[in-house]
């Protein structure tokens, strides 16, 4: 081997001496047969994965029936019903006056419609193919309940394909898909009935990532860094999948930035090729053009600061490709390539900086949202009490990771280090994805959902590589020796690594050979012979070094493939199986146990009475049904914004606010009314509502939320809580007694009416309904202002963006104008397009100081005491 490698003819060197004839190569299976066999095994395994993914998501259907869960899914279902009943055009021109009374909400321009379009398409297709299978078509409600379970399957399969592509081994793909099928970080948003955007977004995200990494697969037939056919085909598919991702979920910003970071990292590592240029350019152009057609997105990809990174990567990619074309055409050396890049990059960078400065001055760029800004600061200190009030926006901790990842939390780091060992274009993506997802999930607990896929992938890498090296390959090799069959093929990882290594070596040889040839010619023109001899010697030395490296690898392979070594590996693999099986069973059982808990719709749940009898608590739906059946169709219901979607979706009544939270000032107005003394609250509520609904009975009821309501109200109505922006004077003392401000508030009296000596003034609010288990109370507002109600309902009093337009925003009735005019619009620090005033700056600083534990800050026991008092 040494002789054969050393005597090989180097490119541009002298002819090598004849070498002895090499032994005949070992007979192997055709490459196509190997790939087909691996793919067949993978597909068969995906069938098992699909069954497991489906089964774990069906607890809700088996226990509660086809019921839409929680809050946001009810809006999604109502929007799906509207699309099915009214069609595409009406859906995208829908201004909903049953929400955000009296303003209304332009649903057509504020909704990510991917899930609604998908559900309606499935529902309409069912009558055409279900009878062929001997099945009855499902109702739209049932389809919406099943969509999360169906897409839980496709997300698991897509993640398996992504892992196999990045790791280069089908075993890792199968293991990753099996983990993804049941891991709680995935099921938390994909149980049947949980009709939320994330349930389909993970499929869109994993599919986009798969197409991206597949576009970067090396092709040994393509040399000199040129583009491959796969980079074009899968670049187009990646862009199309990304458009669906944008239509499905606002988390598309993570996807485009993740791909942009990966592309930039490849360039920084010196792995730029035309293949990368084609894949990224097609993805970005198709994806961005499609994204701008999604109503809530519009031109955000070229205006919002959080999407400027991918745009800059696209611009930089064009510069690099121009230099690459020049390199091939003019046969430039490495030094000349670097000089040309610097020569072009400097003026372009200066032009971009100048343009950005000019556009920033005219307010072209949109600000970072409070949620995005909160990912880079210590949470509960975003400065926005509305964002800080949401529990899932709090930072994750080790307990949260263990809760949603279980054993995978402990084995994923080993998969991460294995991924670092194998450096390929696709594998670098998994490494970057893991680091990025961990960083953001550590900032916001809700984003653990982004960590679920990559944690599954890393766990699959560890298990798949271990299975290949300790069981699959040694067993196959020993079997081939015993049966005298051809030697087993290398794993997919080895094949992919070999292909990429061969491609890189060929490119490097081509470039170095061309550079050396060009340099030698220049020196010969100048009459210098020493340079040419030195380069020839350098080429020969390089060939020797590569031959020695190949010899070392062959030696390691011979030892590694020795029968004794194979037996030792099999023994170690058997012990690993013995050790892993019980822990795998623990993970599987834990995942099912948690999935059953996550499958509780929350809008109804099982509970046990004092005598141990299990009962179904359906208070919330029964209360909404009462509103639907016992109140006029034009009834307006005031409640905290959490319940707005259920009020419109189940009760079909007008709500004052809901979970869209698009208008901070309006939600603050609602919070201000509910936390005001009942007489003052009635003077405002009579112009906005016919009924007031509150959650009672403890366990996360409105008293537990009440400190947040006061704080949000105070952020717009300064002085509501005195000089304290954290409203520490609205809550409970350590002995669970209410503070004076809490005791006087409307919310306190409505929740505890008839208990602990608390009573509501019936001349303001009349008790109308209490649910069976006391979880919901509804009060009729007395002396409702009919004049204000009719004024708000009159289309002539709405403000349209153009004559005859569908986009017409309602207005507050005149009787409330003095109250509304007392608001100070909430200004966040990152909103640099709005001029800050001294009062807003002072308010923000005081809020941050007190939330950070400064003197006079919010008592630490306030929120906990509120929940305890509610119990």
């Amino acid at each position: 081997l040494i002789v054969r490698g050393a005597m090989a003819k180097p490119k541009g060197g002298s002819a090598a001496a004849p070498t002895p004839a090499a032994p005949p190569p070992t007979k192997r299976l055709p490459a196509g047969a190997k790939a087909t066999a691996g793919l067949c095994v993978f597909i068969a395994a995906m069938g098992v994965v699909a069954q497991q993914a489906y089964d774990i998501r069906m607890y809700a259907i088996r226990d509660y029936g086809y019921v839409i869960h929680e809050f946001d899914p009810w809006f999604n279902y109502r929007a799906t019903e509207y699309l099915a009943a009214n069609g595409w055009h009406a859906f995208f021109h829908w201004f909903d006056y049953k929400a955000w009374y009296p303003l209304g909400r332009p649903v057509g321009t504020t909704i990510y419609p991917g899930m609604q379009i998908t559900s309606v398409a499935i529902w309409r297709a069912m009558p055409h193919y279900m009878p062929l299978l001997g099945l009855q078509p499902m109702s739209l409600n049932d389809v919406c309940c099943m969509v999360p379970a169906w897409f839980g399957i496709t997300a698991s399969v897509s993640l398996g394909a992504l892992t196999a592509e990045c790791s280069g081994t089908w075993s890792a793909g199968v293991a990753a898909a099996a983990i993804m099928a049941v891991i709680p970080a995935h099921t938390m948003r994909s149980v049947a009935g949980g009709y939320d955007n994330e349930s389909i977004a993970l499929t869109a995200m994993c599919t986009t990532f798969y197409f991206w990494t597949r576009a970067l697969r090396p092709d040994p037939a393509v040399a000199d860094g040129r583009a491959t056919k796969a980079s074009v085909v899968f670049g187009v598919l990646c862009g199309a999948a990304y458009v669906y991702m944008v239509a499905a979920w606002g988390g598309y910003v993570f996807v485009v930035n993740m791909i942009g970071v990966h592309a930039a990292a490849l360039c920084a590592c010196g792995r730029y090729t035309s293949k990368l240029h084609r894949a990224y350019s097609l993805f970005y152009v198709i994806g961005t053009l499609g994204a701008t057609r999604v109503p809530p997105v519009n031109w955000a990809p070229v205006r919002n600061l959080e999407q400027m990174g991918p745009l800059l990567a696209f611009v930089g990619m064009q510069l690099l490709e121009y230099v690459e074309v020049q390199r091939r055409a003019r046969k430039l050396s490495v030094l000349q390539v670097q000089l040309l890049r610097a020569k072009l990059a400097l003026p372009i960078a200066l032009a971009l900086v100048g343009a950005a400065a000019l556009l920033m001055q005219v307010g072209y760029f949109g600000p970072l949202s409070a949620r995005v800004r909160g990912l880079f600061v210590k949470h509960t200190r975003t400065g926005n009490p509305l964002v800080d009030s949401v529990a899932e926006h709090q930072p994750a901790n080790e307990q949260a990771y263990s809760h949603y990842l279980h054993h995978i939390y402990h084995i994923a780091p080993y998969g991460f280090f294995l991924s670092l060992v194998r450096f390929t274009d696709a594998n670098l993506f998994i490494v970057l994805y893991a680091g990025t997802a961990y960083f953001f999930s550590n900032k916001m607990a809700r984003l653990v959902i982004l960590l679920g896929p990559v944690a599954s992938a890393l766990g699959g890498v560890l298990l798949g590589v271990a299975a290949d090296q300790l069981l699959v390959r040694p067993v196959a090799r020993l079997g081939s020796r015993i049966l005298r069959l051809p030697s087993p093929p290398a794993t997919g990882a080895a094949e992919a690594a070999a292909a990429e290594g061969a491609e890189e070596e060929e490119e490097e040889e081509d470039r170095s050979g061309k550079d050396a040839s060009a340099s030698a010619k220049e020196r010969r023109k100048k009459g210098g012979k020493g340079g040419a001899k030195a380069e020839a010697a350098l080429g020969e030395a390089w060939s020797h070094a590569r031959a020695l490296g190949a010899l070392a690898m062959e030696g390691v392979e011979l030892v590694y493939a020795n029968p004794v070594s194979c037996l030792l590996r099999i023994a170690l693999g058997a012990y690993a199986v013995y050790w892993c099986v019980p822990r795998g069973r623990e993970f599987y059982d834990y995942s099912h146990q948690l999935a059953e808990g996550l499958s509780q719709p929350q809008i109804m749940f099982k509970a046990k009475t004092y005598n141990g009898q299990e009962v179904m608590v359906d208070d919330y739906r029964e209360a909404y049904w009462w509103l639907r059946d016992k109140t006029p169709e034009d009834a307006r219901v005031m409640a905290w914004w959490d319940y707005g979607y259920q009020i419109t979706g189940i009760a079909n009544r007008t709500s004052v606010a809901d979970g869209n939270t698009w208008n901070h000032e309006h939600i603050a107005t609602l919070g201000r009314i509910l936390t005001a003394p009942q007489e003052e609250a009635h003077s405002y509520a009579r112009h906005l509502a016919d009924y007031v609904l509150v959650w009672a009975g403890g366990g996360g009821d409105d008293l537990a939320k009440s400190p947040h309501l006061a704080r949000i109200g105070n952020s717009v109505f300064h002085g509501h809580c005195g000089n304290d922006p954290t409203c520490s004077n609205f809550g409970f003392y350590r002995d669970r007694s209410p503070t004076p401000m809490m005791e006087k508030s409307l919310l306190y009296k409505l929740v505890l009416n008839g208990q602990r000596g608390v009573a509501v003034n019936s001349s303001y609010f009349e008790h109308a309904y209490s649910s069976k288990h006391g979880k919901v109370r509804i009060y009729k507002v007395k002396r409702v202002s009919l004049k204000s109600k009719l004024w708000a309902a009159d289309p002539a009093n709405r403000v349209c963006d153009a004559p005859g337009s569908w986009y017409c925003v309602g207005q507050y009735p005149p009787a409330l104008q003095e109250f509304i005019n007392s608001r100070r619009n909430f200004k966040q620090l990152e909103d640099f397009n709005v001029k800050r005033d001294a009062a807003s700056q002072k308010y923000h600083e005081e809020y941050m100081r007190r939330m950070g534990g400064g003197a006079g800050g919010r008592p630490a026991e306030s929120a906990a005491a509120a929940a305890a008092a509610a119990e």
Side-chain angles (χ1 to χ4, degrees), residues 473-523:
R473 294 187 67 189
V475 168
R477 193 173 293 275
L478 287 179
S480 66
R481 281 178 173 271
I482 294 172
L483 301 177
R484 299 184 182 278
L485 296 175
S487 299
T491 62
E495 291 177 349
E500 185 152 353
E503 181 182 356
E504 292 174 355
E505 288 173 3
E506 188 172 354
E507 291 172 10
E508 185 176 352
E509 287 178 357
D510 287 344
R511 294 182 186 183
S512 61
K514 291 175 182 177
D515 294 345
S517 177
S519 300
K521 289 179 181 178
E522 291 177 3
R523 289 190 179 92

Side-chain angles (χ1 to χ4, degrees), residues 229-302:
K229 183 184 294 184
S231 66
V232 175
V233 173
F234 288 97
V236 171
L237 292 175
C238 181
Y242 172 68
V243 173
Y244 183 69
M245 174 69 202
V246 175
W249 188 36
Y252 75 91
V253 176
F254 171 79
V255 174
V256 68
N257 278 281
M258 192 67 254
I259 293 178
V261 166
H262 181 230
L266 289 174
C267 295
C269 293
R271 301 178 71 89
Y272 175 82
T273 61
S274 293
K275 170 184 64 178
L276 176 62
H277 170 265
R278 298 297 189 279
Y280 188 80
S281 296
L282 288 168
F283 151 75
Y284 188 80
V285 171
I286 295 173
T288 301
L289 289 176
T292 59
R293 300 300 89 203
V294 178
V297 178
N298 206 352
W299 292 105
V302 292

Side-chain angles (χ1 to χ4, degrees), residues 27 157 191 270 301 324-325 355 364 404 497 513 625 638 714 728 744 761-762 775 795:
K27 182 179 179 182
V157 174
V191 296
E324 188 71 3
V325 171
Y364 174 82
Y404 289 113
W625 290 335
M638 177 178 287
N714 190 74
S728 59
K744 295 176 183 178
N761 189 330
S762 59
K775 290 294 184 181

Side-chain angles (χ1 to χ4, degrees), residues 648-669:
T648 53
I650 305 175
N652 194 27
R653 293 297 179 264
T654 301
S655 65
V656 176
D658 58 40
N660 184 247
T661 65
W662 67 278
N663 190 318
H664 183 104
E665 286 72 28
H666 187 73
I667 288 183
T669 302

Side-chain angles (χ1 to χ4, degrees), residues 391-727:
E392 61 185 11
H393 290 167
Q394 301 306 306
N397 51 33
E398 186 172 358
Q399 183 179 0
Y401 290 131
S402 297
H403 181 67
Y404 289 113
L405 301 177
H406 200 242
H407 287 323
I408 306 305
Y409 174 59
H410 302 288
I411 70 171
Y414 297 101
F416 179 81
F417 289 121
L418 280 177
S419 298
L420 289 175
V421 172
R422 181 175 177 268
F423 192 83
T424 65
D425 288 355
N427 216 41
L428 179 61
F429 179 81
I430 285 290
V431 172
L432 293 174
Y433 178 15
T436 306
Y438 178 77
F439 173 81
F440 287 120
S441 65
N442 194 42
K443 294 292 184 178
M444 186 183 295
R446 180 181 183 180
L447 296 184
V448 169
I449 191 173
L450 297 177
L451 191 61
V454 72
S456 301
L458 295 177
V461 167
L462 176 64
L463 297 178
V465 170
D468 278 345
Q469 300 301 324
L470 300 182
L471 294 174
V472 177
R473 294 187 67 189
V475 168
R477 193 173 293 275
L478 287 179
S480 66
R481 281 178 173 271
I482 294 172
L483 301 177
R484 299 184 182 278
L485 296 175
S487 299
T491 62
E495 291 177 349
E500 185 152 353
E503 181 182 356
E504 292 174 355
E505 288 173 3
E506 188 172 354
E507 291 172 10
E508 185 176 352
E509 287 178 357
D510 287 344
R511 294 182 186 183
S512 61
K514 291 175 182 177
D515 294 345
S517 177
S519 300
K521 289 179 181 178
E522 291 177 3
R523 289 190 179 92
R524 278 194 291 271
K525 288 181 180 178
K526 296 179 179 179
K529 298 181 180 179
K533 292 181 179 180
E535 289 190 5
L538 182 62
E540 186 174 353
W542 174 245
S543 298
H544 278 273
R546 288 185 56 196
L548 289 173
L551 175 63
M553 292 302 297
E554 287 285 346
V556 172
E557 180 65 22
L558 287 174
V559 174
Y560 199 59
N562 185 276
V564 176
S565 175
C566 290
L567 289 173
L568 291 175
R569 288 157 60 191
I570 292 172
L572 182 59
Y575 176 77
V577 170
Y578 172 78
W579 188 86
C580 288
V581 166
R583 287 159 181 80
R585 171 57 63 180
E586 287 177 9
F587 171 68
Y588 182 82
D589 292 342
Y590 173 83
S591 297
H592 272 266
Q593 180 183 0
L594 191 58
E596 188 172 7
L598 293 169
S599 296
Q600 290 192 13
Q602 292 191 13
I603 198 170
M604 57 189 297
F605 58 91
K606 295 177 181 178
K608 289 187 177 181
T609 61
Y610 291 109
N611 60 8
Q613 179 184 2
E614 187 175 76
V615 296
M616 184 70 73
V617 179
D618 203 3
D619 282 29
Y620 305 113
R621 289 198 306 169
E622 290 172 358
Y624 298 131
W625 290 335
W626 184 90
L627 284 171
R628 180 194 63 192
D629 299 335
K630 303 295 184 181
T631 63
E633 290 186 6
D634 64 347
R636 305 158 299 169
V637 182
M638 177 178 287
W640 186 231
W641 60 267
D642 284 347
Y643 323 133
Y645 286 148
Q646 294 176 346
I647 291 170
T648 53
I650 305 175
N652 194 27
R653 293 297 179 264
T654 301
S655 65
V656 176
D658 58 40
N660 184 247
T661 65
W662 67 278
N663 190 318
H664 183 104
E665 286 72 28
H666 187 73
I667 288 183
T669 302
L670 176 60
R672 170 71 172 81
I673 294 172
L674 291 174
T675 56
Q678 62 175 332
E679 182 177 359
E680 180 187 358
H682 178 265
S683 68
Y684 305 136
R686 63 188 291 266
H687 297 285
L688 294 173
D690 301 294
Y691 293 88
V692 180
L693 179 149
V694 295
W695 280 20
D701 66 3
D702 284 348
L703 282 186
K705 303 181 182 79
S706 60
H708 294 298
L709 275 65
R711 199 175 301 130
I712 295 168
N714 190 74
S715 68
V716 170
F717 293 90
H718 292 186
H720 176 51
C721 295
N723 295 323
D724 180 9
T726 62
C727 292

Side-chain angles (χ1 to χ4, degrees), residues 34-65:
K34 302 172 192 174
T36 302
L39 181 60
C40 289
V41 172
F42 180 80
I43 292 174
M46 289 305 100
V48 178
V49 168
Q51 186 275 329
Q52 289 296 322
Y54 179 80
D55 179 69
I56 198 172
R57 288 163 173 78
M58 292 300 290
Y59 283 108
I61 303 298
R62 289 191 289 263
D63 294 344
Y64 301 97

